[in-house]
Amino acid sequence: MKFENIPLRVPNVEKIKKQFDLFKEEFLNANNADEALKVIKKVFKYQDNLVTDMTVISVRFSINTLDKKVAAANEKVDEVSPLISDITNDFNDLILTSKFRKELEEKLGSYYFQLLENDKKIFSKEIIPDLVEESKLVNKYDALLASAQIEFDGETRNLSQLGKYMSSPNREIRINAAKLYYGFLKEHDGEIGEIYDKLVHLRTNMAHKLGYKSYTELGYLKLRRLDYNPEMVSNYRKQIYEYVVPQVAKLMKEQAKRIEIKNPLFVDYNLKFLSGNPVPKGNINDLVEDARKMYHEMSSETGVFFDELVDNHFVDLEAKKGKMGGGYMTYLPKYKMPFIFSNSNGTSGDVDTLTHEFGHSFQGHLGSKIWIPDFRMPTLESCEIDSMSMEFFAWPWMNLFFGDDADKYRYMHLCDAISFLPYGVAVDEFQHFVYENPNVTHKERCAKWAEIDKKYRPWMNYEGFDYLENGGYWVRQSHIFGTPFYYIDYTLAQVLALEFKCEYEKNKEKAWKKYIKLLKMGGKYPFLELLEKDHLRNPFIEGNVKKVVAPQLKLLKTFDTSKF
């Protein structure tokens, strides 16, 4: 099945409810645990089909937000999703209260029941209208950013396409592109600020309706963070602040010297080398074919799977008019196929994104063999280990994409991986402030961002960009709007990906087997238990961040950057 041939089916709530009424009746009439389990398996299959239908709509909307038919279908999904959750939660309640629960727990696992109990804590019929409104507001933000049509270099560009010019070797081009990029955000700041303010109050009110003091508690539960809490995250941020921030400050100082700018602006840090950043050779087709060769050489399974993705059009990489920004992998359970979405713009980020999203996809592929849907993929921070580690496993093949600039790319990629950590925890600290202080104004939120940004990235200089000096940088981060508290995940995963990198450098085969084991476990266990079973370090434990970052800082010193 080619992706474009998959029919567009909008869920019908009345039909879904009727079907679940039949499932409920059959489940209640079950004479033993085996009969009850058969009904549960039927529900799983039905849900797989339903999720596939909704995901197809979501993907098509993100590919073209200007398609009115798809936009209407996407809006309908936003409206019915909470109603569908209500229907499925009613069935899950029957599982939780079943007289066969003990036997079902033996077959499905205690963690599955923990997840069902958790789902009960984050939902009630009372918040259904709020959930519908939340989805509409997030889509409004996404569509607003996707609507950017900016004239630059003789063509009309969207924000993703404009990003390429912000790393140009020509400083004037970098600055002018940044002025247009952030000028667009500044022009729409009132609307963006209003959208976010509504989201914060909406989420806070939902939390109160469900009996929580703040959205922070609810947000953690929605992300299924069952084995760590905000206090542990706060201590983890402290590790980044005390060890990583000073190290990154040194890297930034070295970079400024390398590009021969005494007082660099924030946008100057996008340029890593005076000769220009490494860029993949060729066009998007070349990128795909180079990746195809790489994945066939990496392993037989990655090669066959990559062919299946590309040949059946389950990838959409090119930035274009009306396309939503960013990149993601999503999964269509009916077809056991992931989908890769990105916005290629001719920078090294195209390679980062493709390898990153393929890491997610490969886990989705291996996890498709798990029959319990909730176990196929892990929680988000674990998912990001899969993707970020794949970026490093791809290192030996960078000559395919960058030719003689392969080492130049490797140096930059590793620098960026380490330098990302302070930004990632800054986003997390900001979100904790927001939901602990939901009634502050947009201006006060921006001021707080400026303060946090200065704490974790003191080298950032926004002179001449008053919008950014006043703390507007955070509004470009879609995760803050769409999935609250989903960002620390990237930093946790980056630390663990660096651990895989350290192990790969010692023993390639052993590290790869360990990686595959992690992917195959999917989401059968919560985050910390998953790490324990795969013999990975717990990043929350003091000193573990330093143990994996320090060796990579040493590795950076072995590169002769004068040749770049």
Side-chain angles (χ1 to χ4, degrees):
M1 175 69 81
K2 299 261 190 304
F3 179 76
E4 63 269 23
N5 294 332
I6 298 175
L8 194 77
R9 285 189 287 256
V10 181
N12 183 306
V13 175
E14 289 73 24
K15 286 184 179 178
I16 294 167
K17 190 175 186 313
K18 283 180 182 177
Q19 182 58 61
F20 267 89
D21 285 341
L22 294 174
F23 287 141
K24 283 154 75 173
E25 184 180 356
E26 190 177 355
F27 186 82
L28 289 170
N29 289 330
N31 295 310
N32 52 54
D34 287 335
E35 288 184 9
L37 187 61
K38 282 181 182 177
V39 182
I40 292 172
K41 287 182 176 180
K42 286 182 185 178
V43 171
F44 286 167
K45 185 176 180 180
Y46 185 82
Q47 286 179 312
D48 279 350
N49 292 336
L50 191 55
V51 167
T52 298
D53 289 343
M54 293 194 290
T55 303
V56 167
I57 292 168
S58 173
V59 170
R60 288 190 175 159
F61 178 67
S62 58
I63 290 171
N64 186 6
T65 61
L66 304 177
D67 186 316
K68 291 182 180 178
K69 181 183 176 182
V70 175
N74 192 65
E75 190 173 342
K76 184 66 177 177
V77 168
D78 288 341
E79 290 172 4
V80 301
S81 290
L83 300 173
I84 294 169
S85 294
D86 187 32
I87 294 166
T88 56
N89 282 342
D90 280 348
F91 183 82
N92 289 341
D93 281 343
L94 295 183
I95 299 175
L96 287 169
T97 57
S98 171
K99 59 186 175 183
F100 306 120
R101 172 161 174 168
K102 186 179 178 183
E103 296 96 316
L104 289 173
E105 207 161 328
E106 288 173 3
K107 295 174 186 294
L108 294 162
S110 60
Y111 181 49
Y112 178 72
F113 281 82
Q114 286 179 45
L115 293 177
L116 293 188
E117 295 282 7
N118 181 75
D119 289 348
K120 279 186 61 126
K121 295 175 183 176
I122 63 174
F123 184 85
S124 79
K125 297 179 191 297
E126 191 181 359
I127 66 167
I128 288 176
D130 299 324
L131 291 168
V132 172
E133 181 62 20
E134 181 185 27
S135 293
K136 287 181 178 179
L137 286 167
V138 172
N139 281 338
K140 188 176 180 182
Y141 165 82
D142 288 335
L144 175 59
L145 266 61
S147 73
Q149 296 291 298
I150 299 166
E151 294 299 320
F152 191 82
D153 194 29
E155 288 187 30
T156 303
R157 316 278 177 180
N158 62 22
L159 293 179
S160 297
Q161 292 166 325
L162 201 58
K164 171 183 178 179
Y165 296 92
M166 289 195 286
S167 59
S168 168
N170 184 311
R171 192 170 194 240
E172 187 179 351
I173 291 175
R174 285 199 304 276
I175 292 173
N176 287 340
K179 284 181 177 177
L180 290 170
Y181 186 102
Y182 292 102
F184 176 85
L185 296 179
K186 181 180 179 180
E187 180 186 348
H188 296 279
D189 184 62
E191 189 177 353
I192 294 171
E194 185 181 359
I195 289 170
Y196 191 60
D197 192 63
K198 286 179 178 177
L199 281 168
V200 171
H201 283 97
L202 195 64
R203 288 165 177 159
T204 300
N205 288 336
M206 280 193 277
H208 291 164
K209 287 177 184 177
L210 292 170
Y212 300 106
K213 290 180 182 177
S214 73
Y215 183 78
T216 305
E217 296 172 80
L218 178 57
Y220 270 58
L221 292 175
K222 283 175 81 74
L223 292 173
R224 292 181 162 180
R225 293 177 178 174
L226 303 186
D227 56 355
Y228 66 96
N229 56 42
E231 290 70 35
M232 293 165 72
V233 170
S234 179
N235 289 330
Y236 166 77
R237 291 198 305 262
K238 190 167 175 278
Q239 284 190 73
I240 303 295
Y241 175 68
E242 292 179 350
Y243 176 69
V244 180
V245 169
Q247 299 300 326
V248 175
K250 290 177 187 176
L251 292 177
M252 294 300 106
K253 193 174 181 180
E254 290 170 10
Q255 184 181 332
K257 187 178 179 181
R258 197 164 59 242
I259 62 174
E260 299 178 0
I261 298 178
K262 288 185 178 179
N263 298 301
L265 289 171
F266 74 99
V267 72
D268 291 323
Y269 289 116
N270 294 338
L271 180 69
K272 309 300 179 182
F273 311 98
L274 203 58
S275 60
N277 292 351
V279 294
K281 53 187 179 64
N283 56 28
I284 289 177
N285 290 333
D286 297 317
L287 174 74
V288 170
E289 290 312 309
D290 288 340
R292 194 192 295 271
K293 180 174 172 57
M294 172 177 70
Y295 284 120
H296 273 277
E297 291 179 3
M298 188 177 286
S299 76
S300 58
E301 193 161 16
T302 50
V304 170
F305 172 58
F306 188 80
D307 286 347
E308 194 176 357
L309 273 177
V310 174
D311 296 345
N312 292 299
H313 307 163
F314 280 76
V315 294
D316 192 291
L317 308 178
E318 190 174 2
K320 49 202 169 193
K321 183 180 179 181
K323 189 173 180 179
M324 207 175 280
Y328 64 74
M329 181 284 285
T330 190
Y331 183 72
L332 284 67
K334 179 179 178 179
Y335 303 102
K336 298 188 185 314
M337 284 293 287
F339 187 97
I340 293 177
F341 170 96
S342 73
N343 280 271
S344 296
N345 59 5
T347 68
S348 62
D350 296 350
V351 177
D352 298 339
T353 303
L354 185 57
T355 54
H356 180 101
E357 301 305 341
F358 182 79
H360 282 309
S361 299
F362 193 45
Q363 191 286 312
H365 168 67
L366 295 177
S368 68
K369 297 172 178 66
I370 300 171
W371 67 278
I372 300 175
D374 280 294
F375 288 175
R376 288 186 194 131
M377 291 185 195
T379 46
L380 294 175
E381 66 289 285
S382 302
C383 280
E384 298 304 341
I385 305 170
D386 308 333
S387 56
M388 289 177 152
S389 298
M390 178 57 81
E391 293 180 41
F392 290 122
F393 282 119
W395 263 33
W397 289 272
M398 286 303 108
N399 59 303
L400 290 174
F401 302 96
F402 297 100
D404 293 339
D405 281 344
D407 271 346
K408 194 179 189 183
Y409 167 81
R410 292 181 187 108
Y411 180 87
M412 183 176 79
H413 181 227
L414 184 53
C415 267
D416 286 347
I418 297 168
S419 303
F420 165 74
L421 296 173
Y423 174 70
V425 297
V427 170
D428 183 70
E429 190 162 311
F430 174 70
Q431 293 193 88
H432 277 86
F433 165 80
V434 166
Y435 290 105
E436 286 158 19
N437 303 274
N439 294 318
V440 301
T441 64
H442 178 59
K443 186 177 180 181
E444 287 170 325
R445 288 187 189 113
C446 289
K448 188 64 180 180
W449 169 261
E451 177 191 320
I452 293 171
D453 194 24
K454 194 72 176 172
K455 172 184 173 181
Y456 289 104
R457 301 194 298 170
W459 50 86
M460 294 294 268
N461 172 14
Y462 302 111
E463 186 180 349
F465 289 76
D466 62 317
Y467 178 67
L468 299 180
E469 284 184 305
N470 294 326
Y473 190 93
W474 65 274
V475 306
R476 70 198 291 275
Q477 198 62 61
S478 62
H479 304 71
I480 295 174
F481 290 78
T483 315
F485 297 109
Y486 174 26
Y487 213 71
I488 197 72
D489 312 70
Y490 288 106
T491 73
L492 293 165
Q494 189 68 273
V495 168
L496 290 155
L498 289 172
E499 183 177 349
F500 265 119
K501 185 176 183 302
C502 291
E503 295 190 12
Y504 187 74
E505 286 156 4
K506 293 175 185 175
N507 188 321
K508 293 181 180 181
E509 286 186 15
K510 189 177 177 182
W512 180 253
K513 284 180 182 177
K514 185 172 179 175
Y515 175 68
I516 295 299
K517 179 186 173 184
L518 180 71
L519 268 55
K520 284 184 174 178
M521 283 192 285
K524 291 179 181 178
Y525 312 99
F527 177 53
L528 296 180
E529 191 174 347
L530 200 65
L531 300 187
E532 187 180 346
K533 288 189 177 295
D534 206 41
H535 305 290
L536 289 163
R537 289 191 180 99
N538 180 343
F540 295 119
I541 294 175
E542 184 70 34
N544 275 350
V545 170
K546 184 176 180 179
K547 283 176 183 174
V548 296
V549 173
Q552 298 308 316
L553 289 168
K554 285 183 182 178
L555 178 61
L556 285 174
K557 291 178 181 178
T558 66
F559 286 86
D560 184 358
T561 56
S562 66
K563 293 180 179 179
F564 300 153

